[in-house]
Structure formats: C-alpha cells, structure tokens
Amino acid sequence: DTAVSQTPKYLVTQMGNDKSIKCEQNLGHDTMYWYKQDSKKFLKIMFSYNNKELIINETVPNRFSPKSPDKAHLNLHINSLELGDSAVYFCASSHTGLAGTGELFFGEGSRLTVL
Amino acid sequence: AQSVTQLGSHVSVSEGALVLLRCNYSSSVPPYLFWYVQYPNQGLQLLLKYTSAATLVKGINGFEAEFKKSETSFHLTKPSAHMSDAAEYFCALNAGGTSYGKLTFGQGTILTVHP
C-alpha cells in the first residue's frame, strides 16, 4: 500500500488550461502539504492543511487553489496555467502536534509540463 | 528566519570511499533537522532526523549525521560509498512549535559514485 499517493504522475498541457492534481494519504496523519520543486530541484512549500484547515499559504498566486475534503485528501487545482508553472509538485503528510517533529512523508511527485 | 545551506552542489566519490555531504543551518529556535534522499524520478525518502535527542543520529542505508550546535552544522556521512547511494540529497530544517512541519530545504547535493 502506497502511503502518500498522487495522481496523475505526469501531466502535459497547454498554457491557459486548468488542471488538478489529487493526493491521498493512508497514514492517519493530520497535516498535508503541497511542495513545488522547480527545474533547479529547489523545493519550496506552497500550502499546508491541518485537519482540513488551511494553515500555511506561501504567497502562491491565487490561480492555485488547494482543497482538502477530509484529513486524508488534499487536491491542488491550477487555473490558467503558465509556462512558469512547469515543475514537479509533491504532496506530503505528517503528524503534527505536541509530539510531532514535522517529519514529512512524501508522495512520488506529479510532473507538470506546460507547453 | 530559517535557512539551510548545502556546500557543494555535486560530490563525486569512488565506491568504498567516505561520503561527506555538508549542511549548515540558521535558525532562531532550536531546530529539527532532516536529511532526505531523492532517486531519479522519485519522491523524497527520509534518511535520518535530529529531534533534540542524541546529537549523533543514525539513519537508513548506513548513513549518519552529527548535530553540532556550535558550528550550526548537520553533515551527512557514510563510511563506505555504494553505487546505489548515487542520488540527490537534501538537508532540511523544521523550526518546530507552530510551524506545522514547514520544512526549509537546502539546494540539494548530487552524489555520484564511481566504480
């Protein structure tokens, strides 16, 4: 069983289109994240949800809209795709709380290519 | 503000040689520190973590790291490199507390292992 699974793994689309990436975790964690890895492999947090509540939004353009229907799912919808959105998007989860250290479990990534 | 600096974007070693990947950090609060490994076209996998217990931390695949507060360092070592260690390695910091697992990553170090 995959702990953190993302779909699709690869996504190729045209500028201006809207696309979504889905993420599910079966670890029972209470916090989920979206990270973006750019072409230089630099990883940066985009969003974090704790128990379905948005708690981190790192000045991401509002074309990006995360949605968490429940603790186990966190989806990312991107409107009006731009060339600069091409990247690998990683979903991650963790148990965060007094006993939590913030250790993250990552999915395998979704490679988005905007043409 | 927190930051992580990995010295050397590329490290090349011979099989059987010592592996040393350098990581320095800056944090205004006691940090949690991590090393993650990323194999080509895969997600990030946790190698080891420092969470304010023992300063010498052992991880998977024979890797270990030592937390040195005086040097603000968390270098990753392995006594004898194996071909399968070839990958990209990321040092990361979590400020803990209410940061909800927001990891700050270093730039990554690509490890090449020669026969």
Side-chain angles (χ1 to χ4, degrees), chain A:
Chain A
D1 282 347
T2 304
V4 182
S5 59
Q6 305 177 220
T7 55
K9 195 168 182 179
Y10 299 96
L11 192 52
V12 180
T13 189
Q14 301 286 333
M15 276 176 53
N17 283 350
D18 304 338
K19 289 294 177 187
S20 293
I21 306 172
K22 295 186 176 183
C23 179
E24 176 181 5
Q25 56 95 2
N26 62 8
L27 297 167
H29 289 159
D30 56 0
T31 307
M32 295 185 72
Y33 311 80
W34 280 110
Y35 276 80
K36 180 180 180 181
Q37 187 176 46
D38 63 22
S39 58
K40 295 183 179 178
K41 296 291 191 76
F42 183 63
L43 274 153
K44 193 173 190 309
I45 191 169
M46 300 174 68
F47 300 104
S48 172
Y49 270 77
N50 178 259
N51 286 318
K52 302 195 299 175
E53 182 182 347
L54 179 66
I55 52 173
I56 294 176
N57 182 341
E58 286 289 301
T59 60
V60 177
N62 56 17
R63 297 183 296 104
F64 290 79
S65 52
K67 280 189 172 53
S68 181
D70 55 56
K71 284 198 313 181
H73 296 84
L74 179 61
N75 304 322
L76 182 66
H77 187 76
I78 314 171
N79 290 324
S80 303
L81 279 157
E82 300 177 357
L83 292 177
D85 297 332
S86 295
V88 181
Y89 292 86
F90 285 100
C91 178
S93 71
S94 73
H95 173 70
T96 306
L98 290 178
T101 62
E103 173 185 339
L104 269 56
F105 293 76
F106 285 85
E108 293 195 340
S110 296
R111 182 176 294 275
L112 171 65
T113 302
V114 182
L115 303 176

Side-chain angles (χ1 to χ4, degrees), chain B residues 97-111:
Chain B
T98 58
S99 70
Y100 285 100
K102 174 184 171 182
L103 290 183
T104 299
F105 282 89
Q107 309 92 314
T109 298
I110 296 173
L111 176 66

Side-chain angles (χ1 to χ4, degrees), chain B residues 66-94:
Chain B
E66 186 171 8
F67 173 72
K68 292 187 176 180
K69 184 178 178 181
S70 60
E71 299 177 8
T72 60
S73 69
F74 190 58
H75 302 331
L76 181 70
T77 61
K78 181 174 180 177
S80 177
H82 192 272
M83 296 294 290
S84 62
D85 295 328
E88 187 155 15
Y89 293 79
F90 292 91
C91 183
L93 176 154
N94 176 26

Side-chain angles (χ1 to χ4, degrees), chain B residues 1-2 9 12 15 19 26 31 42 45 50 56 58 60-61 69 74 82 87 90 92-93 98 109-110 113:
Chain B
Q2 290 77 36
S9 58
S12 181
E15 193 172 19
V19 175
S26 173
Q42 293 189 26
Q45 179 184 2
Y50 166 76
L56 182 61
K58 295 188 185 299
I60 62 171
N61 302 338
K69 184 178 178 181
F74 190 58
H82 192 272
F90 292 91
L93 176 154
T98 58
T109 298
I110 296 173
V113 182

